[in-house]
Amino acid sequence: MEWFELQVPAPCHELLVIHQMRRSQVNPVAMERSATSDMASEKSNPSHSTGAVQMRIKNANSHHDRLSQSKSMILSENVKVLEPVVEKEGYLLKAKIADGGKKLRKNWSTSWIVLTSRKMEFYKESKQPALANLKPGYKPECVDLCGAHIEWTPEKSSRKNVFQITTVSGNEFLLQSDIDFLILDWFHAIKNAIDRLPKERSCTSRNLEFKLRRSSSTELLNSLDTESKESKPEHRKSLIFRLNYSASDSNDRNRVKSRLKKFISRRPSLKTLQEKGLIKDQIFGSHLHLVCEHENSTVPRFVRQCIKAVEKRGLEVDGIYRVSGNLATIQKLRFVVNQEEKLNLDDSQWEDIHVVTGALKMFFRELPEPLFPYCFFEQFVEAIKIQDNATRIKAVKTLVKKLPRPNYDTMEVLFEHLKKIAAKESVNLMSTQSLGIVFGPTLLRPEKETGNMAVHMLYQNQIVELMLSEYSKIFGSEED
């Protein structure tokens, strides 16, 4: 068996010659003659030998010789691997929140970040000590910046100065620092590095470069043939499978439909499931008196827990009850309250006090009948219209006394709490007027909305504001 060895000065010429040999199926005897004539011409005219393709015929005595000869056709001594230039490095807080599009639990950790023109690498400590302590074969976590996207994301964390990097492979990283100028410098450095790179990754050229450096000639030729072929048999096979499967698919669907109909006709009622304890009574969305009856109290336990948490760590928070909490976390708290008996609002997952206040407002907003019952709405509106202040207070107090016991007691506890909020107005910037705007539409609304919604909203705010400013007179035991 005879083997050909090609010596080509540039890697791109190597690929071209090999591929043309494959396609044209050159005759070895003809190549031998051509090589002989080339050698003769080289002797007569040496100046034309530069850059020419030289071929020699050797006998391959062993498999090892053939492999070494084939690899010599690909590897080139002229290829030099340059170390990437480090543009910036230093410590930042890092959290990986997605891997290949799959969301991950956010876990902040300090990393030594090395930024080059094309990528970022994360180390646990400064790069030089880290490289000395790395195990053989270990590679640091790396982020390819080609095609990546960077943006400020303050909504992703309660920490300040947070921005996110999203790669084309679906990985997402959060980077943070409390030092404003430091994080700003990092943001611009990474953004400039991304902007200098092409928007779309040239996968073909990168794969080709990798093959030229690492593959043998046999593997390279096979890969070129494989890439040019189309996978027609797989498409034909899948089409035949679908045609065969569709015949029996209709029978399976009919059987599933009949079983579902039988199950639905025999399923137990909601009342039966509640009696057996399979479905628990919901806190959110239930009537106030039903929640109180279930808990054997006149004020829902969840309302007292929220008020206690806010008075413990939220009285002096700027914009308390006005600022919205994270809706996803509020919904999570809602689910916990509906499904579990015990609730600890001091848990770290409820550390944002705006989540607690948001959940409390949601509880009152989702009551089927508001805290001020529908039948009392028009009466409260007429009372707030009274011009004389003393008469107006007395009329409102009379209506409050007529409320059902769960409504009255819950209202008394809530407004006592809101009065404490208003007392800290100089710190939290929440006056009685601000609280009236927040809680008016939540606690008081008509059963059927009419055309004068703006007027109703004005009265709702004024009623809440009056009950806060005159709390002691309206809920006091003594007559004015």
Side-chain angles (χ1 to χ4, degrees):
M1 179 179 178
E2 295 177 338
W3 189 258
F4 295 90
E5 178 177 357
L6 303 182
Q7 295 181 351
V8 185
C12 57
H13 291 166
E14 296 170 3
L15 175 62
L16 179 61
V17 172
I18 296 170
H19 190 54
Q20 288 179 349
M21 287 175 58
R22 178 78 176 198
R23 295 184 61 185
S24 60
Q25 298 179 355
V26 179
N27 188 348
V29 178
M31 292 181 68
E32 179 180 3
R33 294 174 181 173
S34 176
T36 306
S37 61
D38 288 343
M39 292 174 63
S41 62
E42 182 181 352
K43 292 179 179 179
S44 61
N45 191 4
S47 61
H48 290 83
S49 63
T50 303
V53 178
Q54 299 179 356
M55 292 177 287
R56 297 194 303 273
I57 303 175
K58 292 184 179 181
N59 293 325
N61 297 325
S62 64
H63 178 67
H64 180 267
D65 293 336
R66 290 197 302 271
L67 288 180
S68 63
Q69 292 170 18
S70 63
K71 289 184 179 178
S72 68
M73 297 165 63
I74 302 303
L75 297 176
S76 175
E77 295 180 355
N78 296 330
V79 178
K80 296 182 180 179
V81 180
L82 299 177
E83 283 291 331
V85 178
V86 175
E87 298 187 0
K88 190 174 181 60
E89 57 184 343
Y91 283 108
L92 286 179
L93 279 177
K94 181 209 72 171
K96 188 174 184 179
I97 60 174
D99 186 6
K102 182 180 179 181
K103 296 298 180 182
L104 302 177
R105 184 181 181 87
K106 182 167 56 182
N107 185 19
W108 290 101
S109 61
T110 303
S111 296
W112 178 265
I113 301 177
V114 179
L115 172 65
T116 63
S117 60
R118 189 179 184 87
K119 63 182 180 178
M120 293 175 62
E121 293 181 343
F122 300 116
Y123 299 87
K124 292 184 178 180
E125 53 185 325
S126 181
K127 186 178 179 182
Q128 297 305 325
L131 292 176
N133 298 329
L134 288 179
K135 297 179 180 179
Y138 174 81
K139 293 184 178 180
E141 190 171 16
C142 182
V143 177
D144 189 355
L145 298 179
C146 185
H149 177 68
I150 183 172
E151 60 180 342
W152 293 103
T153 53
E155 72 280 359
K156 293 291 181 72
S157 174
S158 59
R159 300 172 181 267
K160 70 172 186 177
N161 302 333
V162 177
F163 65 83
Q164 176 177 322
I165 300 175
T166 306
T167 66
V168 292
S169 59
N171 296 340
E172 297 178 6
F173 297 87
L174 297 180
L175 298 178
Q176 188 269 344
S177 174
D178 291 333
I179 306 175
D180 296 341
F181 72 89
L182 178 63
I183 195 68
L184 191 63
D185 191 25
W186 269 102
F187 180 86
H188 289 303
I190 298 172
K191 188 176 187 304
N192 292 336
I194 293 175
D195 293 340
R196 287 195 300 267
L197 294 172
K199 297 300 180 183
E200 296 181 359
R201 182 184 299 177
S202 180
C203 298
T204 305
S205 62
R206 292 187 66 187
N207 290 341
L208 185 58
E209 180 184 356
F210 176 77
K211 288 176 182 177
L212 285 171
R213 291 182 180 179
R214 301 296 298 272
S215 301
S216 65
S217 61
T218 307
E219 294 170 348
L220 179 58
L221 293 173
N222 290 338
S223 66
L224 290 172
D225 272 351
T226 306
E227 291 174 1
S228 64
K229 293 180 181 178
E230 296 180 0
S231 56
K232 293 182 179 178
E234 287 77 8
H235 292 297
R236 189 179 297 109
K237 183 178 179 181
S238 61
L239 178 60
I240 295 173
F241 173 77
R242 288 198 299 269
L243 291 174
N244 293 337
Y245 181 76
S246 60
S248 59
D249 189 31
S250 59
N251 295 331
D252 294 338
R253 289 181 179 177
N254 292 333
R255 283 196 294 269
V256 172
K257 285 181 180 179
S258 61
R259 290 179 180 177
L260 284 174
K261 288 179 180 178
K262 291 179 181 179
F263 171 76
I264 293 173
S265 62
R266 293 198 301 260
R267 65 177 181 176
S269 63
L270 178 61
K271 184 178 180 180
T272 304
L273 294 174
Q274 289 176 339
E275 291 175 352
K276 292 182 178 180
L278 298 176
I279 295 181
K280 298 180 180 180
D281 294 330
Q282 303 292 301
I283 303 299
F284 283 76
S286 296
H287 286 273
L288 183 63
H289 69 278
L290 294 178
V291 176
C292 293
E293 287 177 5
H294 177 71
E295 297 177 353
N296 194 23
S297 66
T298 56
V299 180
R301 185 187 305 114
F302 176 67
V303 174
R304 291 187 181 276
Q305 288 177 314
C306 289
I307 290 175
K308 182 180 178 181
V310 174
E311 292 182 354
K312 180 179 179 181
R313 50 192 173 96
L315 286 178
E316 298 183 354
V317 174
D318 185 9
I320 189 72
Y321 283 112
R322 186 185 71 243
V323 177
S324 301
N326 183 273
L327 183 58
T329 311
I330 293 173
Q331 291 290 358
K332 183 179 179 180
L333 177 57
R334 179 181 186 270
F335 176 81
V336 170
V337 172
N338 281 335
Q339 298 298 323
E340 299 180 5
E341 294 295 333
K342 294 182 179 180
L343 174 65
N344 180 18
L345 290 177
D346 292 330
D347 192 284
S348 59
Q349 59 183 328
W350 321 123
E351 63 180 354
D352 185 3
I353 196 63
H354 297 302
V355 170
V356 178
T357 58
L360 181 60
K361 290 187 293 184
M362 180 181 286
F363 170 81
F364 285 112
R365 192 164 53 245
E366 292 188 359
L367 287 174
E369 189 169 15
L371 189 60
F372 291 76
Y374 290 132
C375 59
F376 285 84
F377 178 77
E378 294 296 338
Q379 300 178 52
F380 274 101
V381 171
E382 293 299 324
I384 203 65
K385 291 179 180 179
I386 299 174
Q387 297 297 323
D388 182 65
N389 188 51
T391 307
R392 181 167 61 245
I393 295 173
K394 185 175 181 180
V396 171
K397 179 176 181 178
T398 302
L399 291 174
V400 170
K401 292 291 185 182
K402 293 180 181 180
L403 295 175
R405 178 53 60 183
N407 296 66
Y408 179 87
D409 290 351
T410 303
M411 192 179 299
E412 183 179 17
V413 171
L414 176 63
F415 277 90
E416 182 183 10
H417 165 65
L418 295 180
K419 194 170 181 297
K420 295 178 182 178
I421 298 291
K424 297 283 186 177
E425 176 188 354
S426 60
V427 182
N428 58 36
L429 305 180
M430 291 299 292
S431 61
T432 55
Q433 185 179 4
S434 301
L435 292 170
I437 294 173
V438 172
F439 280 93
T442 301
L443 304 179
L444 186 69
R445 61 181 183 270
E447 186 172 6
K448 294 182 179 179
E449 292 291 350
T450 57
N452 53 353
M453 292 178 58
V455 178
H456 281 169
M457 186 174 295
L458 178 62
Y459 291 144
Q460 291 163 351
N461 301 347
Q462 289 178 352
I463 291 170
V464 173
E465 186 178 349
L466 175 68
M467 295 181 66
L468 282 174
S469 57
E470 304 295 341
Y471 173 84
S472 57
K473 295 180 181 179
I474 293 175
F475 291 97
S477 57
E478 296 181 1
E479 294 291 338
D480 292 338

